Amino acid sequence: MSTDATTEAPQIRKGLAGVVVDTTKISKVNAETNSLLYRGYPVQELAAHCSFEEVAYLLWNSELPDADQLRDFTAAERGGRALDPVVKSVIDSLPVEAHPMDVCRTAASVIGARHRLAEDSSPEANLAKALELFAAFPAVVAYDQRRRRGQDLVEPRDDLGYAANFLWMSFGEEAAPEVVDAFNVSMILYAEHSFNASTFTARVITSTLSDLHSAVTGAIGALKGPLHGGANEAVMHTFEQIGIRTDESREEAAARARTWMEQALAEKKKVMGFGHRVYKHGDSRVPTMKAALDKMIEHYGRPEILGLYDGLETAMAEAKDIKPNLDYPAGPTYHLMGFDTDMFTPLFVASRITGWTAHIMEQLESNSLIRPLSEYNGPGQRALGR
Ligand SMILES: CC(=O)SCCNC(=O)CCNC(=O)[C@H](O)C(C)(C)COP(=O)(O)OP(=O)(O)OC[C@H]1O[C@@H](n2cnc3c(N)ncnc32)[C@H](O)[C@@H]1OP(=O)(O)O
Ligand SMILES: O=C([O-])CC(=O)C(=O)O
């Protein structure tokens, strides 16, 4: 245990801030250079040139696939897209008021309990489970949104790539190529981010030699919170609270957003979608996601969204010099695509399943039970007196 030299009191790092707990070969978050590498590749380049399927393959296998590997991988992913009828009936048994993240958590758990290799944590079994979850989750998320809207399940299409099929299953119509591209970019950017809270949760669960689905189920719980993945949903609530007015100019929207932000900061509120534990000079993924948002604003003809975006960002920068994180541009992007606000974090789940499972497999390669210490500061020993 590290100690403070003068008092010998243990040095406590609340929130494990700044603590390096292990090594990883999966991704490198560099706050100084504002960069993010997946297996050595800059995430911006992956987002510009790769499909999400290729990135998933990279995260799990350390290298991008060649043409034959991609063909086999894609065939396996397309073969696993249909919603298991048992999972569907469990989802149907849940109230439509249940938060979609609770549905995701339940679905991951049910898929695990029904898995033919449930208790097998060999590398081969875990790779198969990871691929199956990756393939199955778009159906879970898309169907949950549809049932809330009183709509039926849309069957997957195996002539579409992951992103296009996800949108097809969500909305029952083929999305425009620009929309598919922006969605693909969001999936790639959300896929992996080293030892964030949900990934660390997955690694902690894995470190007890529990199974992959338990680790993913726990990770979904950790992602739900607004300080982590739940922030993309919360960003949209902020926009909704300010008020989205389609008849308003960009400048008018920006002015109202600024006023809202000044008031929120005066009241010492935390504004979701801003700030980051690791990046202090801006999130490496924001420029790429913001470019995708700009394309969606143009595609859907919604300049007032840009006004709200700019107004909040500028007012936050001026007041506190705090920059947006990935959830900030991702939230309005998903809104423009037509997703319900409470489905935004489930979209993050569908993507982050790739990163979580890569970490679960890496943890098992050189496992050590994760069990830190605490400094007791409750009452001293006392007599029960009975
Ligand atoms: C994909 C992701 O998960 S990215 C993260 C998504 N989460 C959010 O967007 C939630 C909003 N942001 C936050 O709550 C924080 O920035 C966190 C939790 C992400 C990181 O926080 P930490 O590194 O622990 O920093 P901490 O919360 O201590 O903030 C440091 C200072 O900045 C302020 N601050 C940080 N973020 C914000 C924010 N979003 N709004 C207002 N003030 C903020 C804090 O109030 C604090 O100010 P103080 O020193 O005057 O008290
Ligand atoms: O790294 C973090 O703490 C949160 C984050 O941005 C992510 O998980 O993508």
Side-chain angles (χ1 to χ4, degrees):
M1 184 185 354
S2 69
T3 56
D4 181 313
T6 50
T7 64
E8 291 299 314
Q11 193 187 7
I12 292 168
R13 299 284 188 89
K14 286 282 269 187
L16 297 180
V19 176
V20 179
V21 297
D22 207 341
T23 57
T24 180
K25 292 185 169 62
I26 302 168
S27 70
K28 179 175 166 111
V29 179
N30 192 327
E32 278 68 48
T33 56
N34 217 15
S35 66
L36 171 61
L37 308 177
Y38 292 174
R39 302 280 189 189
Y41 294 110
V43 73
Q44 296 85 342
E45 288 184 30
L46 294 170
H49 302 292
C50 295
S51 66
F52 184 42
E53 294 92 311
E54 289 175 279
V55 171
Y57 186 99
L58 171 70
L59 291 172
W60 293 329
N61 298 287
S62 311
E63 296 297 336
L64 283 163
D66 63 24
D68 289 344
Q69 288 163 334
L70 184 60
R71 192 196 52 237
D72 293 348
F73 184 77
T74 300
E77 186 269 314
R78 292 181 188 200
R81 285 176 178 175
L83 187 60
D84 176 343
V86 174
V87 177
K88 179 176 181 298
S89 70
V90 171
I91 294 175
D92 285 334
S93 75
L94 299 172
V96 287
E97 298 77 31
H99 194 283
M101 283 298 280
D102 296 356
V103 174
C104 285
R105 197 189 58 226
T106 304
S109 186
V110 172
I111 292 170
R114 286 173 46 72
H115 204 281
R116 66 193 182 286
L117 302 172
E119 300 309 317
D120 183 347
S121 290
S122 63
E124 300 73 30
N126 275 345
L127 194 55
K129 290 177 183 180
L131 175 54
E132 287 167 36
L133 270 177
F134 164 67
F137 246 73
V140 169
V141 176
Y143 176 60
D144 190 31
Q145 173 168 273
R146 291 187 69 79
R147 79 176 181 115
R148 286 164 197 277
R149 294 178 171 189
Q151 298 169 330
D152 292 332
L153 174 74
V154 172
E155 294 297 338
R157 293 243 317 254
D158 61 11
D159 59 328
L160 297 176
Y162 176 99
N165 176 64
F166 202 147
L167 294 165
W168 162 256
M169 292 187 81
S170 300
F171 302 112
E173 54 189 47
E174 264 187 60
E178 306 89 297
V179 178
V180 174
D181 282 351
F183 191 67
N184 184 63
V185 164
S186 77
M187 290 290 111
I188 291 174
L189 296 179
Y190 264 139
E192 160 59 15
H193 212 240
S194 74
F195 278 41
N196 59 83
S198 56
T199 301
F200 190 58
T201 301
R203 291 192 76 129
V204 170
I205 294 172
T206 303
S207 84
T208 71
L209 300 183
S210 183
D211 65 286
L212 179 142
H213 289 91
S214 294
V216 169
T217 303
I220 293 172
L223 192 75
K224 181 182 176 189
L227 295 190
H228 190 13
N232 62 5
E233 169 182 341
V235 166
M236 211 58 226
H237 290 313
T238 299
F239 277 45
E240 283 155 2
Q241 213 180 323
I242 298 167
I244 302 170
R245 299 187 191 153
T246 49
D247 58 346
E248 195 174 47
S249 73
R250 184 174 162 183
E251 293 69 27
E252 287 165 330
R256 285 192 307 108
R258 284 182 72 100
T259 306
W260 184 94
M261 180 64 95
E262 283 156 13
Q263 174 82 26
L265 295 179
E267 291 168 10
K268 305 258 176 270
K269 284 191 182 144
K270 270 217 164 166
V271 183
M272 303 305 155
F274 289 89
H276 198 277
R277 174 57 70 76
V278 182
Y279 299 116
K280 296 301 173 198
H281 312 293
D283 183 324
S284 62
R285 302 159 292 183
V286 165
T288 311
M289 195 63 229
K290 174 61 172 32
L293 170 61
D294 286 341
K295 284 186 190 151
M296 291 302 91
I297 286 171
E298 202 185 327
H299 177 78
Y300 291 104
R302 298 285 302 278
E304 82 286 358
I305 295 285
L306 199 53
L308 295 176
Y309 187 101
D310 288 345
L312 290 174
E313 183 183 16
T314 309
M316 179 62 109
E318 284 172 8
K320 297 195 71 126
D321 195 23
I322 295 176
K323 309 270 190 303
N325 57 56
L326 174 58
D327 288 322
Y328 189 58
T333 302
Y334 291 148
H335 171 79
L336 288 171
M337 288 173 178
F339 287 102
D340 294 338
T341 303
D342 53 7
M343 301 308 299
F344 295 179
T345 317
L347 297 173
F348 191 163
V349 169
S351 164
R352 189 56 64 87
I353 276 173
T354 59
W356 289 331
T357 50
H359 279 273
I360 290 166
M361 292 186 268
E362 185 178 72
Q363 178 69 31
L364 285 173
E365 280 167 20
S366 62
N367 189 48
S368 174
L369 175 73
I370 299 174
R371 200 295 186 198
L373 296 177
S374 56
E375 171 73 355
Y376 176 71
N377 67 353
Q381 183 170 335
R382 47 185 163 164
L384 187 57
R386 286 193 192 157

